[in-house]
Every structure is written in structure tokens, then in C-alpha cells.
Amino acid sequence: MRETATDMPTDVLTEGLIGAPLGERATLVQFSTAFCQPCRATRRILTEVADLVPGVAHVEIDAESRLDLVRRLDILRTPTVLVLDRSGKITKTASGQPRKADVLAALGNAVSQEPDEM
């Protein structure tokens, strides 16, 4: 059974809520709609970044089919990208088509919050 957006705090997303596994180090969550041209370019950029950075997952969510989550997270336009740390905590939110360099910088901040390994 899929979790609903009202089951969780607004700053944490889980695998059950987004319908896909979280990345080991970070997750890029993209809210898109079917006819959104910038969403296609954003998908390409986020896929490239996820392939480039080990332990990073890219999850695309159809905003129209997940209105509960869109409302809960106050998503106002597509594409909107959320950067999650390894625990699913939202560390950055951006709307519009991102630049690859900006995505990498936001990931650097999310990944730097990892606990020290012993």
C-alpha cells in the first residue's frame, strides 16, 4: 500500500511515498507533467547527474497523478526538482529547468550531510 502525503512530515519523503527506492547517498525527485517541454530537458539533466554521481537516484513523479503530494509539498509548477539526502529529507527545492552545475552543487550539499564513516 502506497503512503499518502498526509502520512509524513512535509520535509521528508520515503520510498513508499515517491514510489521508488531512495538513492544510497541522495535522491533527485522531479515533478513533471505530460506536455511540459522543460520537463524533458530536466529529465535528461537529472539522469546524467544520477549516472555521474555514485549512489544518487533520479525519480520522476507525474504531478497530475500525485495531486496529494503536489499539494502537500506546495509544488506550483513543473518541472520542480527536490534534492533529498540519504534519509529522504528535502535539502533543496527548485522550479524550472535546472542547470547541471546547480544540480551538482545542490547534491554536494545533500551528500556532505552524510554521517562520518568509521
Side-chain angles (χ1 to χ4, degrees):
M1 187 165 116
R2 183 169 74 183
E3 295 175 50
T4 63
T6 57
D7 295 336
M8 298 296 297
T10 57
D11 67 338
V12 176
L13 299 178
T14 63
E15 291 182 16
L17 197 56
I18 65 172
L22 297 174
E24 293 175 16
R25 299 176 70 202
T27 306
L28 301 169
V29 178
Q30 174 184 347
F31 285 86
S32 300
T33 51
F35 299 104
C36 167
Q37 285 288 34
C39 293
R40 293 182 185 125
T42 299
R43 179 185 313 119
R44 227 177 7 261
I45 290 166
L46 298 183
T47 299
E48 287 175 13
V49 170
D51 290 344
L52 182 67
V53 182
V56 173
H58 170 228
V59 177
E60 188 169 3
I61 296 174
D62 176 29
E64 293 172 345
S65 68
R66 291 302 312 272
L67 291 177
D68 62 325
L69 196 52
V70 166
R71 288 182 184 116
R72 180 75 172 180
L73 297 170
D74 200 28
I75 304 295
L76 301 176
R77 63 183 275 205
T78 58
T80 292
V81 177
L82 308 177
V83 179
L84 313 181
D85 67 12
R86 69 182 327 155
S87 67
K89 183 172 182 0
I90 299 170
T91 61
K92 177 79 174 172
T93 302
S95 60
Q97 183 179 328
R99 294 181 322 133
K100 190 173 182 179
D102 294 335
V103 175
L104 288 167
L107 267 179
N109 290 336
V111 171
S112 70
Q113 297 174 16
E114 291 181 12
D116 293 332
E117 294 182 9
M118 299 210 122

